[in-house]
Amino acid sequence: MEHILIYYFSGTGNTAYVTNLLQSELVKHVKSVEIVNIEQISGPILPDSFNGIDAVGLCYPVYGFRAPAIVKRFAAFLPAQTDMPLFHIKTAGGISPVNEGASASVMHRLKRKGYQTFYDRTVVMGSNWLIAYDPRLVKQLAETAKEKTEQIALDIVNQVQRLPKVSFFALLLGSLTSAGEHGIGAKVYGISLHAKSTCNHCMICVKNCPQHNIQDKNGKITFGANCLWCMRCVYACKQQAIHSRLMQFSVLKNGYDLNKTLADKAIKPDFFDEHTQKSHAQFYAYCIDQNA
């Protein structure tokens, strides 16, 4: 294995962070690793684009126990291949067996195109939705991601088989949750958004929405139903002007900015002590277990 191509989607930065870490580790073992943001892809990819590629990777966050709709749509753009090795690296803000089934639908779609998934793994990062984590835990999970990607890179280069077993119950629960969050939930969230009077029309939200769901109409910022609920527009707004009329509970009060947390030297990745090891046992076990 010498040339690897990775496509990724990142809502608010977690997956981009992990993808860059993975690229840095992979280039220690192979000749080239190209990463491409799938937001740049608007149509079918030509089969010739994969000439010389030894493996393809997909990196994306878990939304409602499923791959984001934008990733599923992108899967349709990938060209048919013959037994192309494929790996999935997912990021999630929590630890749950149901997260392991998030790649199932994308995996099955691409299998019909000739892609053979040999590796599927979830990297846990800070939560940007509903529950705010202690900044020390966010940084500690980010530091742990560095260790995880070292092992992931070696596994990918050596084509280690890692396909988690997902129970029928987990798949069913994921489907039901996904129908709510990806279906009606995301649509309602999208149309519930509005720009408050503090909006200065910087247009960052319009330019950066992965779904092109935000528009400037006659000097007024409007939001549609084609929403991923990725939270990017809310947290990227420097004026904190974007508000949900119905689902503001899902927005973290102090926002989510991974880069800012990582750059803050006052925040130490020392979340775990005798107390937190017990109160956050799952996170602690994940951080100390290289194979988790």
Side-chain angles (χ1 to χ4, degrees):
M1 187 176 291
E2 295 184 341
H3 304 284
I4 297 174
L5 176 58
I6 301 176
Y7 293 100
Y8 77 96
F9 167 70
S10 185
T12 54
N14 283 344
T15 305
Y17 172 79
V18 171
T19 302
N20 284 314
L21 286 179
L22 182 58
Q23 181 189 38
S24 297
E25 290 300 324
L26 283 170
V27 294
K28 297 176 182 179
H29 309 286
V30 300
K31 289 185 177 180
S32 70
V33 182
E34 181 183 1
I35 61 173
V36 179
N37 187 337
I38 68 173
E39 293 177 55
Q40 300 172 0
I41 310 296
S42 58
I45 298 171
L46 296 176
D48 290 348
S49 301
F50 283 14
N51 288 346
I53 297 299
D54 299 307
V56 174
L58 288 178
C59 299
Y60 50 90
V62 176
Y63 288 169
F65 301 129
R66 282 293 179 267
I70 190 173
V71 175
K72 295 179 182 179
R73 183 172 69 245
F74 170 74
F77 294 154
L78 288 173
Q81 295 290 295
T82 302
D83 297 327
M84 172 65 77
L86 175 69
F87 58 90
H88 294 250
I89 305 299
K90 309 184 294 288
T91 59
I95 300 173
S96 170
V98 187
N99 284 334
E100 300 302 332
S103 52
S105 61
V106 178
M107 192 184 303
H108 292 320
R109 292 183 188 191
L110 292 179
K111 184 176 182 180
R112 293 195 294 267
K113 288 190 169 188
Y115 296 83
Q116 302 299 322
T117 299
F118 70 95
Y119 199 83
D120 184 7
R121 189 162 179 175
T122 303
V123 177
V124 181
M125 294 289 290
S127 171
N128 70 347
W129 189 83
L130 195 62
I131 301 174
Y133 291 173
D134 186 305
R136 293 175 301 151
L137 177 57
V138 173
K139 183 169 279 190
Q140 187 143 24
L141 289 171
E143 289 295 314
T144 300
K146 294 180 181 179
E147 301 170 6
K148 301 289 184 182
T149 51
E150 288 180 11
Q151 184 61 52
I152 291 171
L154 287 173
D155 288 348
I156 290 172
V157 170
N158 294 314
Q159 295 194 52
V160 172
Q161 294 286 318
R162 180 178 173 128
L163 298 173
K165 294 182 179 179
V166 185
S167 68
F168 172 77
F169 173 76
L171 288 174
L172 178 61
L173 179 59
S175 296
L176 293 174
T177 305
S178 176
E181 185 172 334
H182 282 194
I184 188 65
K187 292 181 183 296
V188 171
Y189 181 77
I191 61 178
S192 77
L193 293 173
H194 73 103
K196 299 188 294 185
S197 59
T198 52
C199 172
N200 63 0
H201 294 274
C202 67
M203 304 297 286
I204 289 177
C205 59
V206 175
K207 296 175 182 177
N208 291 336
C209 177
Q211 293 287 83
H212 307 293
N213 187 53
I214 309 173
Q215 299 181 26
D216 180 17
K217 292 184 177 180
N218 300 319
K220 182 179 180 181
I221 303 299
T222 63
F223 302 81
N226 188 30
C227 180
L228 289 178
W229 210 344
C230 73
M231 316 295 281
R232 183 189 294 175
C233 62
V234 177
Y235 297 142
C237 181
K238 296 180 180 180
Q239 304 300 316
Q240 297 182 329
I242 301 176
H243 185 272
S244 171
R245 294 185 178 92
L246 300 175
M247 299 180 177
Q248 190 62 21
F249 64 86
S250 66
V251 179
L252 303 187
K253 182 178 179 181
N254 295 319
Y256 185 81
D257 189 333
L258 177 63
N259 290 330
K260 182 178 180 180
T261 299
L262 295 179
D264 190 339
K265 295 182 179 180
I267 300 174
K268 305 297 182 183
D270 58 358
F271 177 74
F272 293 111
D273 55 28
E274 184 177 351
H275 171 68
T276 53
Q277 287 177 18
K278 295 178 181 179
S279 60
H280 293 73
Q282 281 189 309
F283 285 113
Y284 180 65
Y286 168 82
C287 288
I288 64 173
D289 185 353
Q290 185 66 24
N291 293 316

